[in-house]
Amino acid sequence: MCASQSGRLSGDDVFDLTRTAVVMADRAGMARGWTKGAERLLGYPVSEAVGKPLAELFAGVASGASQDSRWESRLAAADGWSGLEAVRHKDGHRLDLEFRVLPLMVAEKHSIRLVLAAEMTQTPWSGASRSFLEGILGMSPIGVAMVNADLRFVWLNDALEEMGGTSREQRLGKRLGEIQPGLDVEGIESEMRKVLSTGTPSVGYEYLGNPQSDPQRQHAYSTSFFRLEDEAGQVLGICYMVLDVTESYRARQRMALLNRAAERIGNSLDVWQTAQELADAAVPDLADFVTVDLLDALLSGEEPTPDPVDAADLVTMRRAGQQSVREGCPEAVVAIGDAAAYPPSAPVVLSLVEGDSALFQTLDLADSAWAAEDPVRAAHLRELGFHSLMVVPLRARGAFLGAAAFARWQHTGPFQPDDLVLAEEFVTRAAISIDNARRYTREHNTALTLQHSLLPHDLPEQCAVEAAYRYLPADPLSGVGGDWFDVIPLSGARVALVVGDVVGHGVHAAATMGRLRAAVQALADLDLSPEEVLAHLDDMVNRVAHDTNADDGVIGATCLYAVYDPVGCRCTLARAGHPAPLLISPAGRGRLLELPTGPPLGLGGMPFESVELPLPEGSLLALYTNGLLMGKALDLDGGIARLRTALADARAPLEELCDTVIGGLPGGRPVDDVALLLARTRALAPAQLATWEIPADPSAVGQARRSAAGRLAEWGLEELAFSTELIVSELVTNAIRHASGPVSLRMIRARALICEVSDSSSTSPHLRHARTTDEGGRGLFLIARYAERWGTRYTSQGKIIWAEQPLRSMGGAVPVADTAALLDALGALDDTGDPTRATGTGTGTEGR
């Protein structure tokens, strides 16, 4: 097998940790190799040490000419030498060192010695029965070897013999590739040749391989190489030292993998993407093939069970992620999103049922029970060469979410227990992220459902304005905000235009927005003026804030409320802390409307003011929230300028104008939620209106009915004559009977037929059930049966009672017997002009 990785260790090599000087010397006493440990111990760098005599490098405390002869005798000793000696550091301070001189190679003309030195104060164990330095060559895990210039072994110690798994006799005279084919021979020998040619030691060269001593498991080694020379400077070969650093290497690899996994897993709040991120993070560094299966109940939004899963439920698992070192993931037998069915004895099923991880260092795909139950899958995996498997259940906050399977087919050795620990770390990170994504998805869908139910789906039909809108949340992930808008048809063919903004985002803001929108609609039905609507909303926000727990956050909102009347082409507006609307005239000139700046909703105790102004037909009114104006590169003035430019063509289709405004947002996304409502005003033609002043005379009721019938004939609405005459008769009779001042009748032909009677009274009629003996009290009840809507709105001069009928007959709304009685009553009124006989209204029992 070939090593998959080589390189240099960062920092000090492993030999320096013992503060041991390792020196190669010839018999003449010249240093031919010098390690970092020697440099640290004695202070001489490699450039100064190599080529100098040992007597100078290990100068004794007591100077004398006998130093050279002593080192000559020590190096010449056939069995080597060991002893203690005090020497001087390069800077002059004293070092008490233990020395060990070992003969590494004996040749006919020359020999090389290995000199080891260690400071006694740093090696308290040196006084043991066996020399510390001797242990480096004998008992320590450091392997030492010597190869000649042809890179053939000439010497090695016991540690290297045991480390490689081949005997000394098998190694001597051979090259590394002949005895250890499982190592990165090419890379190692290339490093040796570099040292041979340059003479520069190589320290901490790291590589991977499968030694003969453990061919099924990949090991990591750290090696240092030194060139050997004789006294004449002739290159003899290489001395190298090897340490098996597999455990530290794997620990570093696991830490690096975990760091990468932390960066890659959980980058989204999407369950499917997070499952795929788990598979991607584990391949190829941990496994060759990974699958992630999630419980179908989890994907459908159900709450996962805190107990181990029942085997019967696992038929509903679904593949959520998978990855392979092979292109196209050919190991997979199901696709992403498809159901992943397993037999009851499959490792994935057992892991979820038992609730524990499972490690199969040697995967038996021939005789296992699950392979017999699932022969197609087993044959497929056997064909692809899988030999080791791990299965880890995905569990978060005590609940089981699914399972991840890790498999190997390459010759990197079987999974080890520490691999299972690493896989569990991966899965734990992913399970938390998946559960977070699941919870977020559920809450997000709830919030979206809530908000979509609260915002208008389609703008209502009305004849006052042409309208279009856009809603854009600042957070594209949540898609939920507190902005809202509304178009509310009012009586008299008028329309209310509303835009509001609740502080914050998410479910809480959406819920508050829904309450405010519902309140605005209810207040609009009362036909209140804009300033009165805002005053009621302000009271409501104060009550909500008082009832809301402090943990739910501060409640605050702004709102703009406008009422447009297409009859007089006038608009009344008021705002509560909201941006002023932009008005584009039919000619394309834009200006911000100058409105009194009311306080935001919720402050309480401060009044609101409204402004009435004319809006010619074709005027474009832009209502918006402040998210439309504020951007990373624009201030409020810049936002207004951009909006004015986008709406310069006031006659362009409103949908195009909306797209232009939203498309021009800086950065493509707003910094806050955006609600935009565009309304182009319309005007009712004079032919659609009819107005009569009614004298305060009971005989005027009949004339009012005949005038109304005549106008219906002109409009082609003869089929509404009966119901309209009844409504007019009732409303005019009540006004003459119970009100004071001028009475007027107005009819509007818009999307509905509208009848309005105005008087100076501020008392509103109401429905009640009349007793059998009562002569009156049934008029408004019959109006309510014939009219689609009816009600009262107040003005500065009094009130207006109105009733709307669709532009089609509502026949059958009143029983036949009641209709006959009404016809008799109307006929009697025409004959006598006495309103007390018409529809039983003369007694005023409608509750004025």
Side-chain angles (χ1 to χ4, degrees), residues 167-236:
S167 66
R168 186 176 278 102
E169 291 74 16
Q170 291 175 307
R171 283 179 178 254
L172 293 177
K174 296 180 181 179
R175 293 175 58 169
L176 185 63
E178 299 177 54
I179 55 176
Q180 292 287 347
L183 301 179
D184 179 17
V185 176
E186 182 177 349
I188 297 172
E189 292 190 347
S190 174
E191 194 74 9
M192 288 183 182
R193 291 190 184 95
K194 186 189 303 182
V195 174
L196 282 173
S197 63
T198 65
T200 302
S202 174
V203 179
Y205 179 83
E206 191 171 90
Y207 56 90
L208 304 176
N210 295 69
Q212 295 291 341
S213 59
D214 189 8
Q216 298 301 316
R217 187 186 182 197
Q218 195 173 57
H219 286 243
Y221 301 97
S222 178
T223 307
S224 296
F225 303 96
F226 311 93
R227 189 173 74 176
L228 302 177
E229 302 173 357
D230 64 9
E231 61 272 13
Q234 181 179 352
V235 177
L236 302 177

Side-chain angles (χ1 to χ4, degrees), residues 417-467:
D418 55 352
D419 291 321
L420 181 61
V421 173
L422 182 60
E424 289 175 335
E425 288 286 344
F426 273 48
V427 171
T428 298
R429 293 175 183 266
I432 294 296
S433 297
I434 288 174
D435 192 54
N436 289 339
R438 175 191 67 83
R439 291 166 177 257
Y440 167 80
T441 299
R442 182 185 62 189
E443 295 178 3
H444 179 230
N445 291 338
T446 300
L448 283 181
T449 301
L450 171 63
Q451 187 181 49
H452 290 167
S453 67
L454 297 175
L455 287 174
H457 296 278
D458 295 301
L459 297 181
E461 293 184 358
Q462 41 78 38
C463 62
V465 296
E466 175 192 359

